Amino acid sequence: MTTRAGQTTSRLPHVEAPAGRVSTGHGDLTPQLVDTDVWSDDLLARAGIPVVDVPFVTVGGGIGSFVLADYLRVMGVPAESIRVLSNLDRPWQTYEHLTRVSQIPGPERIRSDSQSMPDNLWGFPSYAMREAVAERSLKPVWNVLSEPVLSNYYTPRVSQVFRGMQREHDRIGFGDMLVKGTVRMVRRRHGGGYFTILTPPAGTTATKRVAYRSRFVHLAVGYAGLKFLPDLQRYRSDTGDHHRVVNAYEGHEHVYREVAARPCTVVIRGSGIVASRVLQRLIDDRDRLGTDVRIVHLFRTYVAGAHGRSIFMRRPGGHGWAHQGFNYPKSAWGGQLKARMRRLEGEKRADLYEQIGGTQTPIRKNWQEQLRRGRKAGWYQAISGEAQLVRAHGNRLSMTLTPKPSGGSGGPDRFAIGGNPVEVGCDFVIDCTGLEADIAEHRVIGDLLGHSGAGRNPVNRLDVERTFEVRGTRTDGSRLYASGAATLGGYFPGVDTFLGLQIAAQEIADDLARQGFCKRLGPVRSIRQWWRWVGGRRP
């Protein structure tokens, strides 16, 4: 079935209850199923839940599922052997929403390496080379060759990323593998394998649930959710005001409209890439539209200069910001840091994560210039401290801030008021801290932790092996894998990045090849498949 924009989606396959068994249920989960850790075929039959047999199931349907499905198709797995269970229409749908609301429109550049390409597992030709050809310019190539000494790191435009994924989506027949619905849980099966319970869209099936019985399951469900800082959450819960206190990852275009219409003070909280983008949007509008906006930027941790535990692990910083080109040092994806992390266990691994982690943002010359102008003119002020209270005063908000020392010398960009609390009035608060909910708040992962033997790693995320198999969930001859944000803290850092998802997919695909599920991607097959990719032909 073909939809708009050339996308294809598959109808839910015909399913029926196992033969020879009498159904006494109504096609829904029963208390016995919910309370039982390992299911038999008979339990599902008695509940009246139809079963679909397919060798491989991936849950989530986002970029993590897309990249692994791409690997498996290239490694010889037919589309009919893969099912993608998702409530998304296209793999980049969630990411596209997040980039849009966090002020990264199509022409802007995202924080990703030139060779980190979800649509091209070979990484060649890179984004920079493709851009150079499309624009008939050597500037992108020179950018890559001279980074980061003479140029900022090259990063691709978000529209280029989506176009590439659309092309590969169509090439591998991703729409033929997609089954729409919401996954409720994954449970182990007596005799090996897993049952994945899907709730299809209302009215599309005769029963409320459908079970997918498979030998292999992959989870790529993204973040469990976002959390506000405690004082902001308290204010929203008490007042129901979602208009003046917003998260940068939720729609908040109304803030920019009101700032354009009248003088406003906006408080920004956070110091990562999203805070950088929100600041750029506010300042771009100030320059372009002449808005009268005052920006108060609250740093929980103020970085006055280069910092780190040793001279070998330091990142630059200043004016409150910690600077780094990408989420992690580049050696985390294929160098010394990656090799070192794979050898560490327990607290030693958690300690290394603490060293290389933390909030940071790239150095971009235009951002630096904008903030220099703001500091000089006085419409941008940075405060180092903690917010104690948010409350409404008429049509405005009031925040009580307790400044804290930041180290280093003072400067005109800091709110130097000693240690006494101060009241700051504002019209809007934009929370860019990106706090993440506990993984157990995701329904599928929470059920996995409670019923399928899964556990937590040293940083309290989902515990996975070096192959990304979820530790403790193995059944006879079967494997359950996970990749993406839920596995942060494992043997490989940088999991929630384009390149991280690709590396995880490669590890999983190689392990599946060892299980005999797919062919190995040797040199001859790789070259042949790359040529098919170049020509846009099916794997």
Side-chain angles (χ1 to χ4, degrees), residues 75 78 188 207 328 341 373 415:
M75 295 170 75
R188 291 170 292 176
T207 58
Y328 287 99
M341 192 70 80
R373 283 194 288 115
F415 206 67

Side-chain angles (χ1 to χ4, degrees), residues 10 31 42 68 86 101 114 153 218 275 301 311 329 351 354 361 363 419 450 457 463 475 488 505 512 528:
S10 62
D42 189 61
L68 181 54
S86 175
V101 298
S114 178
Y153 278 111
H218 168 242
T301 301
I311 61 173
D351 182 66
E354 184 178 353
T361 192
I363 296 177
N457 64 28
D463 194 18
T475 65
L488 181 70
L512 288 168
R528 185 169 65 247

Side-chain angles (χ1 to χ4, degrees), residues 130-140:
R130 289 154 76 172
E131 184 178 328
V133 171
E135 298 186 358
R136 298 183 179 181
S137 169
L138 292 176
K139 185 177 179 181

Side-chain angles (χ1 to χ4, degrees), residues 205-223:
T205 55
T207 58
K208 184 177 180 180
R209 317 280 186 179
V210 174
Y212 281 77
R213 181 169 51 199
S214 62
R215 183 182 172 196
F216 303 106
V217 175
H218 168 242
L219 302 179
V221 295
Y223 290 95

Side-chain angles (χ1 to χ4, degrees), residues 258-274:
E258 291 201 32
V259 168
R262 61 183 175 87
C264 287
T265 297
V266 179
V267 171
I268 304 293
R269 300 181 68 173
S271 56
I273 181 68
V274 175

Side-chain angles (χ1 to χ4, degrees), residues 102-105 107-110 252 256 268 272-289 291 293 295 297 321 361-362 364-371 373 379-380 430 432:
S102 60
Q103 307 310 306
I104 311 177
E108 293 291 339
R109 298 185 182 274
I110 58 174
H252 62 281
Y256 306 106
I268 304 293
I273 181 68
V274 175
S276 298
R277 299 299 320 203
V278 169
L279 283 167
Q280 183 187 7
R281 170 66 188 275
L282 288 169
I283 300 172
D284 282 349
D285 284 357
R286 182 185 179 91
D287 294 340
R288 182 172 56 88
L289 303 174
T291 61
V293 61
I295 302 168
H297 190 178
W321 302 88
T361 192
R364 299 272 174 87
K365 293 178 181 178
N366 61 322
W367 297 348
Q368 301 295 310
E369 186 274 334
Q370 286 181 327
L371 295 185
R373 283 194 288 115
W379 47 260
Y380 171 80
I430 304 179
C432 306

Side-chain angles (χ1 to χ4, degrees), residues 159-176:
S159 57
Q160 181 184 20
V161 173
F162 295 151
R163 284 196 304 270
M165 283 195 281
Q166 179 70 67
R167 177 182 183 271
E168 188 69 354
H169 169 284
D170 297 340
R171 189 183 80 89
I172 66 173
F174 190 86
D176 298 331

Side-chain angles (χ1 to χ4, degrees), residues 154-472:
Y154 172 88
T155 56
R157 291 188 174 93
V158 67
S159 57
Q160 181 184 20
V161 173
F162 295 151
R163 284 196 304 270
M165 283 195 281
Q166 179 70 67
R167 177 182 183 271
E168 188 69 354
H169 169 284
D170 297 340
R171 189 183 80 89
I172 66 173
F174 190 86
D176 298 331
M177 300 178 265
L178 177 64
V179 180
K180 294 293 293 294
T182 302
V183 172
R184 171 67 175 81
M185 61 180 63
V186 179
R187 293 288 177 93
R188 291 170 292 176
R189 173 181 176 269
H190 276 296
Y194 305 90
F195 288 110
T196 303
I197 298 297
L198 180 78
T199 306
T204 59
T205 55
T207 58
K208 184 177 180 180
R209 317 280 186 179
V210 174
Y212 281 77
R213 181 169 51 199
S214 62
R215 183 182 172 196
F216 303 106
V217 175
H218 168 242
L219 302 179
V221 295
Y223 290 95
L226 293 172
K227 292 172 63 177
F228 276 88
L229 290 165
D231 59 310
L232 301 184
Q233 183 61 56
R234 203 161 43 241
Y235 170 82
R236 294 207 349 169
S237 298
D238 292 345
T239 66
D241 182 3
H242 291 221
H243 184 80
R244 290 179 292 183
V245 175
V246 299
N247 190 293
Y249 284 113
E250 62 186 0
H252 62 281
E253 194 66 25
H254 65 276
V255 174
Y256 306 106
R257 287 196 299 268
E258 291 201 32
V259 168
R262 61 183 175 87
C264 287
T265 297
V266 179
V267 171
I268 304 293
R269 300 181 68 173
S271 56
I273 181 68
V274 175
S276 298
R277 299 299 320 203
V278 169
L279 283 167
Q280 183 187 7
R281 170 66 188 275
L282 288 169
I283 300 172
D284 282 349
D285 284 357
R286 182 185 179 91
D287 294 340
R288 182 172 56 88
L289 303 174
T291 61
D292 185 6
V293 61
R294 176 174 178 253
I295 302 168
V296 179
H297 190 178
L298 177 60
F299 291 91
R300 285 180 296 173
T301 301
Y302 188 97
V303 178
H307 58 289
R309 295 189 188 180
S310 73
I311 61 173
F312 301 107
M313 298 187 73
R314 294 179 72 81
R315 62 167 67 102
H319 298 296
W321 302 88
H323 291 299
Q324 189 166 278
F326 302 104
N327 301 61
Y328 287 99
K330 293 193 80 172
S331 62
W333 285 274
Q336 293 176 329
L337 192 54
K338 179 185 177 184
R340 180 180 172 190
M341 192 70 80
R342 289 178 73 88
R343 296 192 299 266
L344 296 178
E345 300 289 349
E347 291 303 315
K348 292 183 178 179
R349 188 166 8 122
D351 182 66
L352 183 55
Y353 267 99
E354 184 178 353
Q355 290 184 56
I356 66 176
T359 304
Q360 14 75 18
T361 192
I363 296 177
R364 299 272 174 87
K365 293 178 181 178
N366 61 322
W367 297 348
Q368 301 295 310
E369 186 274 334
Q370 286 181 327
L371 295 185
R372 275 196 299 269
R373 283 194 288 115
R375 287 191 293 268
K376 184 176 180 180
W379 47 260
Y380 171 80
Q381 276 186 308
I383 303 175
S384 172
E386 296 287 346
Q388 295 179 316
L389 183 65
V390 180
R391 57 185 179 276
H393 276 184
N395 293 326
R396 304 194 81 214
L397 300 172
S398 177
M399 301 182 69
T400 302
L401 304 178
T402 302
K404 61 181 179 181
S406 57
S409 59
D413 62 311
R414 285 200 292 144
F415 206 67
I417 53 175
N420 298 320
V422 60
E423 293 288 322
V424 174
C426 63
D427 298 278
F428 297 99
V429 178
I430 304 179
D431 182 5
C432 306
T433 55
L435 293 177
E436 299 164 25
D438 182 77
I439 59 169
E441 293 186 30
H442 192 285
R443 200 171 194 182
V444 176
I445 296 178
D447 187 83
L448 204 68
L449 293 169
H451 293 279
S452 296
R456 295 175 182 264
N457 64 28
V459 302
N460 221 25
R461 302 286 184 90
L462 199 58
D463 194 18
V464 296
E465 305 279 1
R466 292 171 180 83
T467 60
F468 288 88
E469 179 187 354
V470 180
R471 189 170 281 162

